[in-house]
Amino acid sequence: MVVSLAPIITLLLCLILSQPTYGKSRRQKTDTMWKNRKRECEREQDLCGGIHVDLNQNCVNECISPDCYTEVYGPSTIGPLEDGEIDPERQKLFTQCVRRDYREQKRKREMA
């Protein structure tokens, strides 16, 4: 008895090709928004573009979100980053704050 594999292969191909595709996650969309703002802050001369890249992190963070900058790096905390300083813990807090702010801004725009 000879069994044709063509219908089985066709069925498998249909199943594989019909898998739903998913768009970007909410976090990816939010990250894209604030990272675009970061690039804008880094490039624009009237923002932080005129400052050397090793020295402009405080300026860029404040440009992205003044509220989050104050919350994470403000006077009630340890203070701003020193030139060239990398603080992964505070950067994580800043990123979380920015994501939260951008999500809230988006909700407000959608409700308006």
Side-chain angles (χ1 to χ4, degrees):
M1 173 184 203
V2 177
V3 177
S4 174
L5 294 177
I8 296 171
I9 292 173
T10 303
L11 179 62
L12 287 173
L13 282 173
C14 287
L15 288 172
I16 291 170
L17 296 175
S18 67
Q19 292 295 317
T21 56
Y22 300 101
K24 288 185 175 182
S25 72
R26 183 178 71 180
R27 177 178 280 179
Q28 287 173 319
K29 290 177 184 176
T30 303
D31 284 353
T32 299
M33 289 169 50
W34 76 264
K35 286 180 180 178
N36 286 340
R37 176 65 179 156
K38 179 180 179 180
R39 279 189 288 278
E40 182 182 314
C41 293
E42 290 171 336
R43 290 183 184 146
E44 294 295 323
Q45 291 296 320
D46 58 330
L47 298 174
C48 304
I51 304 171
H52 189 274
V53 70
D54 292 337
L55 309 175
N56 74 351
Q57 195 60 48
N58 286 317
C59 180
V60 170
N61 286 341
E62 190 169 14
C63 177
I64 293 169
S65 173
D67 293 337
C68 290
Y69 178 81
T70 301
E71 182 180 318
V72 177
Y73 299 104
S76 64
T77 64
I78 300 171
L81 293 170
E82 294 180 16
D83 294 341
E85 179 184 2
I86 298 172
D87 186 338
E89 185 60 34
R90 290 198 290 169
Q91 184 60 42
K92 181 179 175 183
L93 293 172
F94 181 77
T95 301
Q96 290 170 346
C97 180
V98 169
R99 284 178 177 147
R100 184 179 62 242
D101 276 2
Y102 273 76
R103 282 193 305 268
E104 288 173 8
Q105 289 173 16
K106 183 179 177 186
R107 278 191 206 112
K108 287 178 184 175
R109 282 193 308 266
E110 289 172 353
M111 294 185 77

